[in-house]
Amino acid sequence: MNDLLMQRNILLNPGPACVSNRVKKAQIIPDICPREKEFGDMMERVSKGLLRFVKNTKSASCVLFGGSGTLAVEAALSSLISSKHKLVIINNGAYGERMCEIARLHQLDFKEFKSNLLEPIDYRELEIFLQKQRPDFLALVHSETTSGLINDLKAISKLAKLLNIKIIADCMSSYACYELDLNEADVIIASSNKNIQGIAGISFVIANDEILESAKYAKSLYLDLASQYKFFKQNHQMRFTPPVQTIYALHEAIIELEEEGLENRYKRYEKSNQILREGLLSLGFDVYPKSGAGIIISAVMLKDGMDFEALHHYCRHRGFTIYPGKIAGLNMFRIANIGAIDSLDIKLFLEVLREFEYQLKAEK
Ligand SMILES: *Cc1c(COP(=O)(O)O)cnc(C)c1O
């Protein structure tokens, strides 16, 4: 095992992110039945711990599901929105599109607010759209992992509050780095394997208890938010088998984030992102989004004659995993600077990129 822990792969894909050896090791525990009180106490600590990275959670709970992030998004949308509710979904990337797909499959009454994938939303246009539609709920992705674009929760929540619209925010790639606030989003959804730097397999919904109690419209046994909430409240358990070891890893990841501090994690990611962007630009790459970008993901245009597969293979062989990402038909790839890595890893990656280009030129 120690040999495996020695090998350091640098994941630059937008999650699952690199985790520390400490988090990896936390998964190795004596066998335990998840219906034991000892495990329930662990779940309770994790649930409470996840709340601490969000502001204004005094009357809130964090409901855990076994499953990837999409599961919690589907559970929240399908449980909160009844056949009498109206929903607007902001769609400016693959994850906004996924919410639309969920709404379609669950036959929710929804309208799409479409916006450019590489440019910030026109908030005035959104305001007009919301005034016209008057939905009960507005669903959106806070940090659109497709492009790295940030949809400004502060600005959007101001519009929504005036019109008495509840916000359901997919915060998968902003949670545990950006400071989130239940005053700016009524429902916050995230997962265990991105900025929180835990192992994949858990997703969760954070909202005030009143909202969680009202989430009773699910037409699926498993994706029932209110039932999962009530069961957890009573028993400190998930209704169905939890990913036991993943819970222990997430517990360790929470302690790590508390030790580092949310603000410092933001600063670490911000520094990596800055060095990455500057490095890419100085190597002559075009980096998107040009405005409205967060500090999590960068979309990079492949240069003419540069093949993604070849680049991916070259980087992977040297310990760096990059991620494909055609956006609006453009030939791009994506770099996420999240996880248990820092700006030194980014500098090494930029060196690899430089070498790759050098070799490419030498071959020609
Ligand atoms: C990662 C991610 C998800 C969830 O994807 P899964 O593959 O189900 O974990 C949802 N929304 C956004 C914005 C994401 O970045």
Side-chain angles (χ1 to χ4, degrees):
M1 184 173 94
N2 282 328
D3 287 348
L4 287 176
L5 292 178
M6 285 301 289
Q7 184 181 336
R8 225 174 140 243
N9 294 335
I10 305 299
L11 300 183
L12 300 174
N13 47 297
C18 282
V19 305
S20 68
N21 282 344
R22 191 174 146 187
V23 166
K24 287 190 190 94
K25 282 181 189 161
Q27 294 176 95
I28 301 168
I29 48 156
D31 294 330
I32 182 168
C33 168
R35 301 290 177 209
E36 288 298 324
K37 181 175 179 305
E38 185 188 333
F39 186 77
D41 292 345
M42 187 54 150
M43 286 259 297
E44 173 75 354
R45 279 202 291 280
V46 166
S47 169
K48 286 248 157 70
L50 293 170
L51 278 180
R52 285 201 289 272
F53 308 118
V54 177
K55 279 167 82 176
N56 288 306
T57 52
K58 216 183 284 158
S59 343
S61 298
C62 172
V63 184
L64 304 160
F65 286 92
S68 83
T70 306
L71 184 143
V73 175
E74 187 162 8
L77 288 175
S78 64
S79 302
L80 283 159
I81 298 162
S82 75
S83 56
K84 296 200 175 64
H85 285 135
K86 275 184 75 177
L87 166 69
V88 164
I89 299 173
I90 296 178
N91 181 352
N92 56 352
Y95 293 95
E97 179 60 37
R98 190 176 292 177
M99 282 180 150
C100 294
E101 216 176 318
I102 290 170
R104 241 173 259 128
L105 284 166
H106 288 270
Q107 300 181 340
L108 306 179
D109 178 9
F110 81 104
K111 290 274 180 331
E112 260 176 89
F113 178 81
K114 282 207 173 190
S115 178
N116 190 298
L117 274 67
L118 293 171
E119 281 166 28
I121 291 174
D122 181 333
Y123 294 99
R124 177 68 193 136
E125 226 172 82
L126 176 65
E127 185 177 15
I128 295 167
F129 191 82
L130 292 175
Q131 276 166 348
K132 188 163 159 247
Q133 295 297 334
R134 293 281 172 155
D136 303 281
F137 292 93
L138 172 64
L140 63 100
V141 177
H142 181 210
S143 162
E144 213 355 306
T145 315
T146 315
S147 59
L149 207 58
I150 291 283
N151 292 325
D152 185 353
L153 265 177
K154 220 184 242 354
I156 297 171
S157 75
K158 272 195 196 133
L159 303 178
K161 274 214 173 90
L162 285 173
L163 300 169
N164 207 12
I165 301 167
K166 286 199 165 62
I167 291 183
I168 301 172
D170 169 347
C171 296
M172 221 68 68
S173 74
S174 57
Y175 176 84
C177 169
Y178 283 79
E179 187 171 65
L180 301 171
D181 189 336
L182 271 191
N183 271 339
E184 290 172 6
D186 299 277
V187 179
I188 288 171
I189 308 163
S191 68
S192 56
N193 59 269
K194 292 191 176 168
N195 309 334
I196 188 77
Q197 298 179 189
I199 302 290
I202 297 165
S203 52
F204 49 91
V205 179
I206 293 173
N208 281 333
D209 294 323
E210 195 187 337
I211 292 180
L212 293 169
E213 274 160 23
S214 77
K216 56 183 187 210
Y217 302 107
K219 278 154 226 78
S220 142
L221 174 74
Y222 215 103
L223 307 179
D224 182 336
L225 180 56
S227 297
Q228 189 84 347
Y229 164 68
K230 282 180 200 149
F231 196 84
F232 186 70
K233 199 113 195 149
Q234 275 166 15
N235 310 301
H236 291 179
Q237 290 175 13
M238 288 192 201
R239 284 181 301 150
F240 309 110
T241 305
V244 175
Q245 286 73 11
T246 309
I247 290 279
Y248 285 84
L250 184 52
H251 181 251
E252 199 64 32
I254 290 167
I255 296 172
E256 266 189 357
L257 177 51
E258 265 170 355
E259 286 173 7
E260 183 176 11
L262 192 61
E263 215 171 295
N264 290 331
R265 180 154 302 180
Y266 184 94
K267 282 184 190 152
R268 174 161 60 86
Y269 286 11
E270 188 181 40
K271 187 173 175 197
S272 292
N273 188 262
Q274 232 164 28
I275 286 173
L276 176 68
R277 281 198 167 240
E278 280 162 16
L280 287 167
L281 291 174
S282 80
L283 287 173
F285 284 94
D286 212 2
V287 186
Y288 291 87
K290 303 219 177 205
S291 71
I295 56 158
I296 304 280
I297 296 135
S298 306
V300 190
M301 192 78 84
L302 278 165
K303 292 186 188 175
D304 282 344
M306 201 178 258
D307 174 45
F308 176 77
E309 283 309 318
L311 176 62
H312 170 267
H313 185 79
Y314 189 89
C315 294
R316 179 93 213 280
H317 195 68
R318 288 156 182 80
F320 297 90
T321 305
I322 62 170
Y323 207 64
K326 271 213 163 111
I327 303 174
L330 296 169
N331 224 355
M332 292 188 169
F333 63 101
R334 281 177 290 169
I335 309 286
N337 49 268
I338 65 173
I341 62 172
D342 63 24
S343 49
L344 179 62
D345 298 306
I346 298 294
K347 283 179 188 159
L348 292 172
F349 166 68
L350 288 165
E351 274 315 304
V352 170
L353 208 55
R354 190 194 306 277
E355 270 171 35
F356 176 76
E357 279 210 273
Y358 186 78
Q359 290 221 345
L360 214 62
K361 278 189 196 126
E363 280 167 20
K364 276 182 186 157

